[in-house]
Amino acid sequence: MKSPFRSFKWKDIGDIERGRPAMGEKMHVAVYRMFHYSLRGVLEKSYGKEAVKHILVEAGRAAGKEFCRHELNPKLPPQDFFHLLKQKMAVLGIGLLEVEHADFENMIFILTVSEDLDCSGLPETGETVCNYDEGLIMGILEQYTGKQFIVRETDCWSTGDWTCRFHVVAI
Ligand SMILES: [Zn+2]
C-alpha cells in the first residue's frame, strides 16, 4: 500500500499570485518567527529538544532540495551556482550569504548567513537555533552535487555572534 505521507513538494506552495492578488507574496518576519517558534515549542514539549532539532534539519533538507530544483540551476558551475544562491537568498529575505571557504575537491565549505531570517535579533541563549537552515543548506548542496553532507552551525545570533556560520562537510 502506498504511504499517505510524502515529502514537501514545490507545488505545496500553491499559486500565490492567484490566491493573494491583493496581499501578494510578502509577509512580516515576525509572522514567520511566530509560526516557526510556536511550532518548535509545541514539538519540543512532545518530542524533546534533540528530536526537534532533527525534525527541523530534515524539514529544511526537504525544502532545500526542492528549492534547488525550482529556484536554482544545478547545471551551473560552482562559482555561478553560489552567486545565484546568494542572490536568491537575499531577494527572498532568507539572509545575506557569504562563502568563506569552498573546497570542491574535498567538499568542505564554510558559509555565513548574516541578518538570518530564523535568528538575527533573537535573545541570546548560548545555543545555536538555525537547525532549519542547516537542513536547507544540506538539501541544496545534496541536490547540487549528488553527495550527502553534514552541516553544523557553529556561530549564531543566539550564541552572541553577528552572523551565522555553517561548517559543511561531505560524508
Ligand atoms: Zn543562527
Side-chain angles (χ1 to χ4, degrees), residues 116 118-120 128-130 133 153 155-158 163-164 166:
D116 186 272
D118 279 354
C119 76
S120 289
T128 60
V129 293
C130 298
D133 286 346
E153 188 186 30
D155 304 322
C156 183
W157 186 282
S158 62
T163 188
C164 298
F166 299 91

Side-chain angles (χ1 to χ4, degrees), residues 82 101-103 106-112 133-134 137-139 141-142 148-154 165-171:
F82 275 110
H101 177 79
D103 173 356
N106 298 304
M107 289 285 167
I108 298 171
F109 308 92
I110 300 174
L111 308 175
T112 62
D133 286 346
E134 288 175 332
I137 292 167
M138 198 184 274
L141 289 177
E142 204 175 300
Q148 300 230 302
F149 291 88
I150 293 173
V151 181
R152 198 165 51 87
E153 188 186 30
T154 55
R165 182 168 283 104
F166 299 91
H167 287 244
V168 184
V169 186
I171 44 176

